[in-house]
Amino acid sequence: MIRFDNYNFAYECNEKEQGIHGIDLEIKQGEFVLLCGESGCGKTTIIRSVNGIASHLMKGSSSGKVYVNGIDVSESEMYKLSDVVASVFQNPKSQFFNTDVESEIVYTLENRGVDIGVIEERLNLAMKDLKLERLAGRSMFELSGGEKQQVAIAGGYIAGTPVVALDEPTANLDPDAILKIRGILEKMKALGKTVLIAEHRLSWLKGLSDRVIYMKEGRIEKDMDAELFFGMSEEERKSLGLRELSFESEKGLKPDLHPDNYEKRKLLEVNDLTLAYKKHIVQENLNLYVREGEILGITGVNGAGKTTLLRALAGLSKKQKGAVILDGKKSTRKSRRKRFGMVMQDVNYQLFADSCENECMLGNPLVNSEEAASLLNEAMLSGLNERHPQSLSGGQKQRLALAVCKASDKEILLLDEPTSGLDYKSMLAVKDTLRKLSANGKAIIIVTHDKEFLSLICDRVQKLRKI
Amino acid sequence: MKLDVRTYILLTLLSATWATMNSNIYVELLIMAGLTVLQVFSKKGSFMPGILLTYALFCGVQFVLFPVMPETVEMILSMFVVNIRSFFPVVMCIVLLYKNTRVSEMTASFTRMGVSRKVTVPVAVAIRYIPTLKEEWLHIRDAMRMRSVTRGIKNPFLRLVKKLECYLVPLFVSSLHSADELSTAAVTRGIENPCKPTCRNYKPMGVKDYIVIVMAVMITVYCFIMHM
């Protein structure tokens, strides 16, 4: 179904992305293939070579051939390829074109000029098959990230293409949403579709993948049977720089206080807090605290108010009831905005300067060039002083945002889903940076679904229940 | 009562001529009343009382406060107040158009009218992008509130420039990314297919559309005659 004949692709002026070299690969019809490896290993480029994005839309040079269903990808028109390959991308926000769910699902069929009766028939069938009836008639903007991804995959399902190529579709999703995506992909597999998926989070693909391709520096390093791959030892997995391979248990949840922290003073206390999101109460009478130098993890299902809690703590939104106590005194929103630093889920919105060094100095007149360099060094960004913050990788941007928090002398740091889209190595780097900050006495609160990360970093975990 | 997207577009275009040519306040009040009725009976969220209140405020200033104000103050303010007031029908029409237009319906109508994809696609992307832009703006505002980017700058003008720069840099970067990702996604879904696309959401214009159009055209003709 898919064949790579000594295929090479090199990007023109792109520091972040690695091309691919000497790829020889044959994927049979109905195979479910997982592509994995560290960030920048070339797995996304493999996906782009199959759906034609690399040879048609990216600036770069290629040699060799890629065939999909007998079609030479580089010679074919993109719209002809869209009859053969359906694509799902990482960012749920920027891959939908229509504003309502049904129009988005049938978009490929409309572009093909398929008869309207056939479209309606296939749409009804797909909504039922994929259990998407609850989304009917809704605006795309109202949907959660997980629901948007389901709609994107449904678009591929309805298009009836023999190949589905997915590029990190779960990077921003919570475990419930991931399970729903898995359900849809199981159906696709049962229908005999060839599925090619690039991912960092691997555990949810256990039992679904037939074959796993591990890539390194643009080359295929291992091509394994999935059973063998998911059976590898922890040491081997870590040495390959991969995230956990099995569905994580509750081992990450540590309800007890870390013994080292017993003696430290409570920096923040929250008493009987009630929170609302869009006038809807999401938490009632919540109590929590964090001590100096402690890393507190907050987890819970979607809609339990995790991000709402962070926003209320940071003084960005109003709480309904209750008190936020800092150093034993009731605090105001304005005072909290001064003392809390926040790393948002989409860190792009909080980097403003034209270089990493200037980013550290922006709004901090007391930080000089030398101090900025040492802050960057501590955040494992040494040598990147002159780089534009927006040109960094996801993990590097997060670490830069943390360095900025330290530069502004923020005492309590709040992080919203810091590991979405990060590979194992970047996750470890974020962990190390956070550990250094906590050793300096900063209290850190992390909201995340990522149990692997929780178990790695947090001293204590508090679970929010949905009410 | 939802009208066809073409009716909303026509209303918006004609409202611009009303704003520039009409000088009769009673006609303008009639237009505003008509548009309010359309908004109230359109999709939820189309009726924005805030706009009407602001309009009433402008009318109040012009007809109640101006007569009792010193003439020089009135002279200075009247240009501003009268001009802004007369553009309220345009705002009302834009709200109607924006709140009631689904991208798919608009593309379907445009395609049926034979408008080239070179026009439909950019317009559709622009409409689809407005809510994203708002969302991004709010994210940046939050980030700015957590970080005093202007600390250390004393000159108020430079502070403003710095603040503006901090809003615009991430906004431009994310817009570029979004535009790139959006067009890539659209291309992989066959937007370049030269065949005639299916217009699933196409609905022909109904009687209510024609009634609204006839009324709008009558008002335009009246404004034109009075202007002459």
Side-chain angles (χ1 to χ4, degrees):
Chain A
M1 181 55 72
I2 302 171
R3 204 175 85 225
F4 282 75
D5 276 346
N6 192 21
Y7 188 70
N8 301 281
F9 186 87
Y11 290 98
E12 212 173 274
C13 29
N14 190 335
E15 293 171 46
K16 268 191 279 180
E17 286 178 285
Q18 168 103 28
I20 46 177
H21 322 286
I23 304 291
D24 279 305
L25 180 67
E26 179 128 23
I27 295 170
K28 290 194 221 73
Q29 189 188 340
E31 256 189 318
F32 194 114
V33 181
L34 162 63
L35 294 160
C36 63
E38 292 176 357
S39 282
C41 67
K43 54 187 185 305
T44 294
T45 312
I46 294 270
I47 299 275
R48 286 178 182 161
S49 310
V50 170
N51 57 20
I53 292 175
S55 48
H56 292 275
L57 302 176
M58 294 275 162
K59 276 188 183 163
S61 54
S62 65
S63 64
K65 290 280 177 200
V66 182
Y67 298 94
V68 181
N69 206 16
I71 299 173
D72 181 340
V73 173
S74 59
E75 298 295 321
S76 163
E77 298 279 357
M78 278 299 276
Y79 71 88
K80 284 183 186 153
L81 276 172
S82 73
D83 293 344
V84 188
V85 188
S87 305
V88 179
F89 303 94
Q90 182 179 349
N91 189 349
K93 279 188 204 164
S94 59
Q95 62 175 309
F96 65 90
F97 194 73
N98 291 279
T99 47
D100 60 299
V101 170
E102 282 98 331
S103 303
E104 184 57 26
I105 295 179
V106 302
Y107 189 56
T108 312
L109 296 182
E110 280 193 309
N111 284 332
R112 266 185 224 161
V114 174
D115 183 70
I116 200 152
V118 178
I119 292 185
E120 294 298 337
E121 202 178 303
R122 282 210 218 169
L123 175 66
N124 290 334
L125 203 69
M127 298 289 271
K128 222 161 125 190
D129 274 358
L130 307 179
K131 299 191 181 93
L132 295 178
E133 288 107 331
R134 70 199 140 76
L135 303 183
R138 287 179 60 188
S139 155
M140 286 300 291
F141 291 104
E142 289 169 12
L143 306 188
S144 68
E147 287 168 335
K148 281 181 190 144
Q149 288 299 54
Q150 286 176 52
V151 170
I153 303 180
Y157 182 84
I158 203 173
T161 56
V163 179
V164 185
L166 306 100
D167 187 11
E168 291 185 47
T170 68
N172 304 311
L173 307 189
D174 64 278
D176 285 347
I178 293 179
L179 277 182
K180 287 199 177 105
I181 302 282
R182 183 183 158 107
I184 298 182
L185 291 182
E186 270 168 1
K187 282 225 163 66
M188 297 258 209
K189 190 180 172 184
L191 285 171
K193 308 247 184 212
T194 309
V195 182
L196 194 59
I197 180 166
E199 261 294 5
H200 283 307
R201 290 188 181 179
L202 305 171
S203 56
W204 69 281
L205 289 160
K206 192 177 179 182
L208 195 58
S209 320
D210 300 313
R211 183 174 164 193
V212 182
I213 291 169
Y214 172 76
M215 297 197 61
K216 197 173 181 184
E217 289 164 11
R219 295 180 194 278
I220 295 178
E221 184 103 341
K222 287 177 195 286
D223 187 348
M224 299 166 81
D225 182 71
E227 220 166 296
L228 213 65
F229 174 84
F230 283 99
M232 79 166 75
S233 68
E234 278 285 284
E235 289 71 37
E236 196 179 350
R237 189 262 301 176
K238 284 180 184 165
S239 72
L240 294 177
L242 297 174
R243 302 285 307 263
E244 272 195 3
L245 297 180
S246 56
F247 274 114
E248 307 105 63
S249 58
E250 297 285 305
K251 71 178 180 186
L253 306 181
K254 299 178 208 165
D256 303 321
L257 186 63
H258 197 281
D260 294 349
N261 290 320
Y262 272 121
E263 299 305 318
K264 291 183 183 158
R265 73 183 170 115
K266 282 184 186 168
L267 209 55
L268 165 78
E269 254 187 293
V270 169
N271 296 334
D272 296 324
L273 194 69
T274 299
L275 298 166
Y277 178 69
K278 289 185 180 169
K279 292 182 185 163
H280 173 73
I281 302 280
V282 287
Q283 276 298 321
E284 257 178 326
N285 303 325
L286 178 76
N287 292 298
L288 63 84
Y289 67 86
V290 62
R291 288 173 192 266
E292 212 173 32
E294 188 184 23
I295 303 183
L296 170 70
I298 292 187
T299 182
V301 293
N302 249 7
K306 300 185 296 293
T307 300
T308 313
L309 170 67
L310 281 197
R311 288 178 51 82
L313 289 180
L316 289 173
S317 61
K318 282 185 193 157
K319 59 187 188 317
Q320 296 293 103
K321 224 177 72 189
V324 180
I325 295 171
L326 277 175
D327 288 332
K329 284 183 215 137
K330 267 195 181 182
S331 62
T332 60
R333 281 169 62 200
K334 201 175 169 191
S335 71
R336 293 205 295 278
R337 283 205 291 270
K338 277 192 185 143
R339 295 178 65 180
F340 282 67
M342 188 155 165
V343 180
M344 302 156 89
Q345 186 169 7
D346 197 335
V347 71
N348 291 312
Y349 300 125
Q350 60 187 116
L351 301 175
F352 308 111
D354 54 2
S355 72
C356 294
E357 188 182 281
N358 287 340
E359 191 69 55
C360 291
M361 298 197 286
L362 181 72
N364 302 315
L366 296 178
V367 174
N368 59 28
S369 184
E370 272 167 34
E371 276 170 74
S374 109
L375 284 165
L376 290 174
N377 194 24
E378 205 173 305
M380 283 175 272
L381 296 168
S382 45
L384 299 174
N385 305 27
E386 293 306 316
R387 268 278 285 277
H388 197 290
Q390 299 286 358
S391 74
L392 300 175
S393 75
Q396 289 171 331
K397 282 180 192 165
Q398 277 180 352
R399 300 204 299 275
L400 177 60
L402 285 170
V404 171
C405 290
K406 184 155 188 228
S408 344
D409 220 13
K410 304 277 191 182
E411 294 156 76
I412 303 174
L413 307 180
L414 308 168
L415 289 93
D416 194 1
E417 294 293 348
T419 59
S420 53
L422 295 195
D423 65 355
Y424 186 68
K425 218 162 126 186
S426 314
M427 186 174 81
L428 290 185
V430 172
K431 182 198 124 186
D432 290 344
T433 313
L434 287 174
R435 271 281 158 231
K436 278 182 207 159
L437 289 167
S438 87
N440 280 329
K442 308 274 179 207
I444 298 168
I445 301 179
I446 304 171
V447 153
T448 182
H449 299 295
D450 193 333
K451 287 182 183 159
E452 186 181 1
F453 187 59
L454 281 175
S455 67
L456 264 176
I457 178 117
C458 295
D459 298 322
R460 191 160 53 88
V461 175
Q462 185 157 343
K463 199 169 180 177
L464 296 190
R465 306 216 176 271
K466 195 173 176 178
I467 57 166
Chain B
M1 186 182 74
K2 194 167 173 287
L3 301 175
D4 191 275
V5 58
R6 286 163 288 186
T7 311
Y8 290 127
I9 292 174
L10 192 69
L11 268 184
T12 312
L13 293 176
L14 292 182
S15 68
T17 63
W18 307 335
T20 47
M21 288 182 185
N22 176 42
S23 50
N24 185 335
I25 184 68
Y26 296 109
V27 174
E28 191 181 291
L29 286 173
L30 193 73
I31 293 170
M32 286 298 282
L35 291 173
T36 308
V37 171
L38 279 184
Q39 283 191 346
V40 170
F41 289 103
S42 288
K43 211 179 132 194
K44 206 180 147 197
S46 305
F47 176 57
M48 294 186 167
I51 298 177
L52 271 191
L53 278 176
T54 323
Y55 178 71
L57 196 75
F58 272 85
C59 289
V61 170
Q62 189 181 345
F63 297 105
V64 181
L65 284 185
F66 278 0
V68 293
M69 271 183 186
E71 211 167 311
T72 37
V73 181
E74 188 198 329
M75 286 264 285
I76 297 166
L77 285 179
S78 72
M79 271 278 276
F80 169 76
V81 171
V82 174
N83 278 329
I84 293 194
R85 197 215 66 222
S86 58
F87 267 91
F88 268 79
V90 183
V91 176
M92 297 280 277
C93 288
I94 291 174
V95 169
L96 266 173
L97 171 67
Y98 176 65
K99 289 280 178 185
N100 292 282
T101 306
R102 287 201 298 186
V103 168
S104 51
E105 285 170 354
M106 199 209 66
T107 340
S109 298
F110 276 27
T111 312
R112 277 295 179 95
M113 281 160 69
V115 178
S116 147
R117 278 196 170 182
K118 281 181 185 149
V119 177
T120 11
V121 173
V123 175
V125 170
I127 293 184
R128 180 236 173 274
Y129 194 63
I130 293 169
T132 313
L133 199 67
K134 189 179 153 199
E135 203 176 283
E136 288 176 344
W137 184 266
L138 292 178
H139 279 303
I140 298 168
R141 193 194 61 185
D142 277 352
M144 299 268 284
R145 282 161 80 194
M146 301 287 296
R147 200 172 152 192
S148 44
V149 287
T150 51
R151 200 192 296 162
I153 304 175
K154 288 207 174 82
N155 183 332
F157 178 70
L158 288 180
R159 283 170 81 100
L160 189 73
V161 169
K162 186 86 222 165
K163 242 184 177 162
L164 200 65
E165 184 195 325
C166 288
Y167 265 105
L168 294 181
V169 168
L171 204 62
F172 280 157
V173 172
S174 77
S175 303
L176 281 177
H177 273 298
S178 301
D180 209 25
E181 289 178 358
L182 195 63
S183 62
T184 305
V187 168
T188 58
R189 302 186 63 191
I191 198 172
E192 291 171 337
N193 200 324
C195 80
K196 199 172 166 227
T198 319
C199 300
R200 181 176 164 270
N201 273 308
Y202 177 74
K203 286 183 199 81
M205 286 213 245
V207 180
K208 50 188 188 229
D209 290 297
Y210 290 113
I211 294 174
V212 172
I213 290 173
V214 166
M215 285 166 75
V217 169
M218 276 165 59
I219 294 169
T220 315
V221 171
Y222 170 81
C223 293
F224 196 69
I225 293 169
M226 295 314 282
H227 188 70
M228 297 286 279

Short mmCIF file of all heavy atoms in Angstrom, two decimals, chain A residues 42-81:
data_model
loop_
_atom_site.label_atom_id
_atom_site.label_comp_id
_atom_site.label_asym_id
_atom_site.label_seq_id
_atom_site.Cartn_x
_atom_site.Cartn_y
_atom_site.Cartn_z
N GLY A 42 12.40 12.68 12.56
CA GLY A 42 11.97 12.51 11.17
C GLY A 42 10.66 11.77 11.01
O GLY A 42 10.21 11.53 9.89
N LYS A 43 9.99 11.44 12.12
CA LYS A 43 8.74 10.68 11.97
C LYS A 43 7.63 11.51 11.32
O LYS A 43 6.87 11.00 10.50
CB LYS A 43 8.28 10.08 13.30
CG LYS A 43 8.13 11.05 14.45
CD LYS A 43 7.84 10.29 15.74
CE LYS A 43 7.56 11.23 16.89
NZ LYS A 43 8.60 12.24 17.16
N THR A 44 7.60 12.82 11.65
CA THR A 44 6.60 13.68 11.01
C THR A 44 6.89 13.80 9.51
O THR A 44 5.96 13.83 8.70
CB THR A 44 6.63 15.08 11.68
OG1 THR A 44 6.19 14.92 13.02
CG2 THR A 44 5.72 16.06 10.99
N THR A 45 8.17 13.82 9.15
CA THR A 45 8.52 13.92 7.73
C THR A 45 8.05 12.67 6.96
O THR A 45 7.65 12.76 5.80
CB THR A 45 10.04 14.13 7.57
OG1 THR A 45 10.44 15.15 8.47
CG2 THR A 45 10.40 14.52 6.16
N ILE A 46 8.08 11.51 7.61
CA ILE A 46 7.58 10.29 6.97
C ILE A 46 6.09 10.46 6.66
O ILE A 46 5.62 10.19 5.55
CB ILE A 46 7.78 9.05 7.89
CG1 ILE A 46 9.26 8.76 8.09
CG2 ILE A 46 7.03 7.84 7.36
CD1 ILE A 46 9.89 7.82 7.11
N ILE A 47 5.35 10.97 7.66
CA ILE A 47 3.91 11.21 7.46
C ILE A 47 3.72 12.20 6.31
O ILE A 47 2.90 12.00 5.41
CB ILE A 47 3.27 11.78 8.76
CG1 ILE A 47 3.41 10.80 9.92
CG2 ILE A 47 1.82 12.21 8.53
CD1 ILE A 47 2.37 9.73 10.02
N ARG A 48 4.51 13.29 6.32
CA ARG A 48 4.38 14.32 5.28
C ARG A 48 4.76 13.79 3.90
O ARG A 48 4.29 14.30 2.89
CB ARG A 48 5.28 15.51 5.62
CG ARG A 48 4.74 16.35 6.75
CD ARG A 48 5.71 17.46 7.05
NE ARG A 48 5.26 18.28 8.16
CZ ARG A 48 6.06 19.06 8.86
NH1 ARG A 48 7.34 19.15 8.55
NH2 ARG A 48 5.59 19.78 9.85
N SER A 49 5.63 12.79 3.86
CA SER A 49 6.02 12.23 2.56
C SER A 49 4.89 11.38 2.00
O SER A 49 4.73 11.25 0.80
CB SER A 49 7.26 11.35 2.71
OG SER A 49 8.25 12.03 3.40
N VAL A 50 4.09 10.79 2.91
CA VAL A 50 2.99 9.93 2.46
C VAL A 50 1.81 10.78 2.00
O VAL A 50 1.21 10.50 0.95
CB VAL A 50 2.57 8.96 3.60
CG1 VAL A 50 1.29 8.22 3.24
CG2 VAL A 50 3.69 7.97 3.87
N ASN A 51 1.48 11.83 2.74
CA ASN A 51 0.30 12.62 2.32
C ASN A 51 0.66 13.74 1.33
O ASN A 51 -0.21 14.53 0.95
CB ASN A 51 -0.50 13.14 3.52
CG ASN A 51 0.34 13.99 4.46
OD1 ASN A 51 1.40 14.50 4.07
ND2 ASN A 51 -0.12 14.14 5.68
N GLY A 52 1.92 13.81 0.94
CA GLY A 52 2.31 14.73 -0.14
C GLY A 52 2.72 16.11 0.33
O GLY A 52 3.15 16.94 -0.46
N ILE A 53 2.60 16.38 1.65
CA ILE A 53 2.91 17.73 2.14
C ILE A 53 4.40 18.04 1.91
O ILE A 53 4.75 19.14 1.49
CB ILE A 53 2.56 17.84 3.64
CG1 ILE A 53 1.04 17.78 3.80
CG2 ILE A 53 3.07 19.15 4.23
CD1 ILE A 53 0.57 17.77 5.23
N ALA A 54 5.26 17.04 2.17
CA ALA A 54 6.71 17.29 2.03
C ALA A 54 7.06 17.70 0.61
O ALA A 54 7.66 18.76 0.38
CB ALA A 54 7.49 16.04 2.44
N SER A 55 6.65 16.90 -0.38
CA SER A 55 7.09 17.20 -1.74
C SER A 55 6.31 18.34 -2.39
O SER A 55 6.81 18.99 -3.30
CB SER A 55 7.02 15.95 -2.60
OG SER A 55 5.79 15.31 -2.44
N HIS A 56 5.08 18.62 -1.94
CA HIS A 56 4.28 19.66 -2.60
C HIS A 56 4.23 20.99 -1.85
O HIS A 56 4.10 22.03 -2.48
CB HIS A 56 2.84 19.16 -2.80
CG HIS A 56 2.73 18.06 -3.80
ND1 HIS A 56 2.63 18.28 -5.15
CD2 HIS A 56 2.75 16.72 -3.64
CE1 HIS A 56 2.56 17.13 -5.78
NE2 HIS A 56 2.64 16.17 -4.90
N LEU A 57 4.27 20.95 -0.53
CA LEU A 57 4.04 22.20 0.22
C LEU A 57 5.24 22.69 1.03
O LEU A 57 5.24 23.81 1.50
CB LEU A 57 2.84 22.04 1.17
CG LEU A 57 1.51 21.64 0.53
CD1 LEU A 57 0.46 21.42 1.60
CD2 LEU A 57 1.03 22.70 -0.45
N MET A 58 6.24 21.83 1.21
CA MET A 58 7.38 22.24 2.03
C MET A 58 8.55 22.64 1.14
O MET A 58 8.73 22.06 0.06
CB MET A 58 7.84 21.05 2.91
CG MET A 58 6.83 20.65 3.94
SD MET A 58 7.03 21.67 5.39
CE MET A 58 5.50 21.46 6.23
N LYS A 59 9.34 23.60 1.64
CA LYS A 59 10.54 23.97 0.90
C LYS A 59 11.63 22.98 1.25
O LYS A 59 11.95 22.79 2.43
CB LYS A 59 10.97 25.38 1.30
CG LYS A 59 10.24 26.44 0.52
CD LYS A 59 10.83 27.79 0.80
CE LYS A 59 10.01 28.83 0.04
NZ LYS A 59 10.24 30.15 0.54
N GLY A 60 12.18 22.32 0.26
CA GLY A 60 13.22 21.34 0.54
C GLY A 60 13.54 20.55 -0.71
O GLY A 60 12.92 20.73 -1.76
N SER A 61 14.54 19.68 -0.59
CA SER A 61 14.91 18.88 -1.76
C SER A 61 14.71 17.41 -1.45
O SER A 61 14.89 16.98 -0.31
CB SER A 61 16.37 19.15 -2.12
OG SER A 61 17.15 18.92 -0.97
N SER A 62 14.32 16.66 -2.47
CA SER A 62 14.07 15.23 -2.24
C SER A 62 14.69 14.40 -3.35
O SER A 62 14.94 14.89 -4.45
CB SER A 62 12.57 14.97 -2.16
OG SER A 62 11.97 15.25 -3.40
N SER A 63 14.94 13.14 -3.03
CA SER A 63 15.33 12.18 -4.07
C SER A 63 14.73 10.84 -3.69
O SER A 63 14.33 10.63 -2.55
CB SER A 63 16.85 12.09 -4.15
OG SER A 63 17.36 11.58 -2.95
N GLY A 64 14.65 9.92 -4.66
CA GLY A 64 13.99 8.65 -4.42
C GLY A 64 12.49 8.80 -4.63
O GLY A 64 12.03 9.87 -5.06
N LYS A 65 11.75 7.74 -4.33
CA LYS A 65 10.31 7.77 -4.62
C LYS A 65 9.48 7.29 -3.44
O LYS A 65 9.93 6.47 -2.64
CB LYS A 65 10.00 6.83 -5.80
CG LYS A 65 10.52 7.32 -7.15
CD LYS A 65 9.60 8.35 -7.73
CE LYS A 65 10.16 8.89 -9.04
NZ LYS A 65 9.57 10.17 -9.40
N VAL A 66 8.25 7.83 -3.35
CA VAL A 66 7.27 7.29 -2.41
C VAL A 66 6.01 6.97 -3.22
O VAL A 66 5.55 7.81 -4.00
CB VAL A 66 6.90 8.32 -1.31
CG1 VAL A 66 5.92 7.71 -0.32
CG2 VAL A 66 8.12 8.82 -0.58
N TYR A 67 5.51 5.74 -3.06
CA TYR A 67 4.28 5.36 -3.75
C TYR A 67 3.20 5.05 -2.71
O TYR A 67 3.47 4.35 -1.73
CB TYR A 67 4.49 4.11 -4.60
CG TYR A 67 5.52 4.30 -5.70
CD1 TYR A 67 6.85 3.95 -5.49
CD2 TYR A 67 5.15 4.84 -6.93
CE1 TYR A 67 7.80 4.14 -6.47
CE2 TYR A 67 6.10 5.02 -7.93
CZ TYR A 67 7.42 4.68 -7.70
OH TYR A 67 8.36 4.87 -8.67
N VAL A 68 2.00 5.57 -2.95
CA VAL A 68 0.88 5.23 -2.08
C VAL A 68 -0.23 4.67 -2.97
O VAL A 68 -0.67 5.36 -3.91
CB VAL A 68 0.35 6.46 -1.30
CG1 VAL A 68 -0.80 6.06 -0.40
CG2 VAL A 68 1.46 7.07 -0.47
N ASN A 69 -0.60 3.45 -2.73
CA ASN A 69 -1.62 2.78 -3.55
C ASN A 69 -1.23 2.85 -5.04
O ASN A 69 -2.08 3.06 -5.90
CB ASN A 69 -2.98 3.44 -3.32
CG ASN A 69 -4.13 2.50 -3.60
OD1 ASN A 69 -3.92 1.29 -3.67
ND2 ASN A 69 -5.32 3.04 -3.79
N GLY A 70 0.05 2.74 -5.31
CA GLY A 70 0.54 2.74 -6.69
C GLY A 70 0.75 4.14 -7.28
O GLY A 70 1.26 4.28 -8.39
N ILE A 71 0.37 5.19 -6.55
CA ILE A 71 0.52 6.56 -7.06
C ILE A 71 1.88 7.11 -6.62
O ILE A 71 2.23 7.02 -5.43
CB ILE A 71 -0.59 7.47 -6.51
CG1 ILE A 71 -1.96 6.96 -6.95
CG2 ILE A 71 -0.40 8.91 -6.95
CD1 ILE A 71 -3.12 7.71 -6.32
N ASP A 72 2.60 7.71 -7.56
CA ASP A 72 3.87 8.36 -7.22
C ASP A 72 3.53 9.70 -6.56
O ASP A 72 3.00 10.62 -7.21
CB ASP A 72 4.67 8.58 -8.52
CG ASP A 72 6.01 9.24 -8.25
OD1 ASP A 72 6.15 9.84 -7.18
OD2 ASP A 72 6.89 9.15 -9.12
N VAL A 73 3.81 9.83 -5.27
CA VAL A 73 3.35 10.99 -4.49
C VAL A 73 3.86 12.32 -5.06
O VAL A 73 3.09 13.27 -5.21
CB VAL A 73 3.78 10.85 -3.01
CG1 VAL A 73 3.47 12.12 -2.23
CG2 VAL A 73 3.08 9.68 -2.37
N SER A 74 5.15 12.36 -5.44
CA SER A 74 5.69 13.66 -5.88
C SER A 74 5.14 14.07 -7.25
O SER A 74 5.11 15.25 -7.58
CB SER A 74 7.21 13.62 -5.90
OG SER A 74 7.63 12.59 -6.77
N GLU A 75 4.69 13.11 -8.05
CA GLU A 75 4.19 13.43 -9.39
C GLU A 75 2.69 13.72 -9.38
O GLU A 75 2.17 14.34 -10.30
CB GLU A 75 4.45 12.24 -10.36
CG GLU A 75 5.92 11.90 -10.56
CD GLU A 75 6.67 13.02 -11.26
OE1 GLU A 75 6.09 13.63 -12.17
OE2 GLU A 75 7.82 13.30 -10.86
N SER A 76 2.01 13.24 -8.36
CA SER A 76 0.55 13.34 -8.35
C SER A 76 0.09 14.73 -7.87
O SER A 76 0.80 15.41 -7.13
CB SER A 76 -0.01 12.27 -7.43
OG SER A 76 -1.32 12.56 -7.09
N GLU A 77 -1.10 15.13 -8.30
CA GLU A 77 -1.69 16.37 -7.77
C GLU A 77 -2.13 16.11 -6.33
O GLU A 77 -2.54 14.99 -6.00
CB GLU A 77 -2.94 16.76 -8.59
CG GLU A 77 -2.68 17.06 -10.04
CD GLU A 77 -2.17 18.47 -10.25
OE1 GLU A 77 -2.09 19.21 -9.26
OE2 GLU A 77 -1.85 18.80 -11.40
N MET A 78 -2.13 17.16 -5.50
CA MET A 78 -2.52 16.98 -4.10
C MET A 78 -3.98 16.51 -3.96
O MET A 78 -4.31 15.71 -3.10
CB MET A 78 -2.33 18.28 -3.31
CG MET A 78 -0.93 18.55 -2.85
SD MET A 78 -0.29 17.29 -1.74
CE MET A 78 -0.94 17.81 -0.16
N TYR A 79 -4.86 17.03 -4.83
CA TYR A 79 -6.27 16.64 -4.67
C TYR A 79 -6.49 15.18 -5.02
O TYR A 79 -7.39 14.53 -4.49
CB TYR A 79 -7.20 17.57 -5.46
CG TYR A 79 -7.16 17.42 -6.96
CD1 TYR A 79 -7.97 16.51 -7.61
CD2 TYR A 79 -6.31 18.22 -7.73
CE1 TYR A 79 -7.93 16.38 -8.99
CE2 TYR A 79 -6.27 18.10 -9.10
CZ TYR A 79 -7.07 17.17 -9.73
OH TYR A 79 -7.05 17.04 -11.08
N LYS A 80 -5.62 14.63 -5.90
CA LYS A 80 -5.74 13.21 -6.22
C LYS A 80 -5.26 12.37 -5.04
O LYS A 80 -5.81 11.32 -4.75
CB LYS A 80 -4.92 12.87 -7.48
CG LYS A 80 -5.61 13.35 -8.75
CD LYS A 80 -4.85 12.95 -9.98
CE LYS A 80 -5.52 13.58 -11.20
NZ LYS A 80 -4.59 13.80 -12.30
N LEU A 81 -4.23 12.86 -4.37
CA LEU A 81 -3.74 12.14 -3.18
C LEU A 81 -4.78 12.15 -2.06
O LEU A 81 -4.86 11.22 -1.27
CB LEU A 81 -2.47 12.83 -2.66
CG LEU A 81 -1.16 12.42 -3.32
CD1 LEU A 81 -0.04 13.33 -2.83
CD2 LEU A 81 -0.82 10.98 -3.00
#
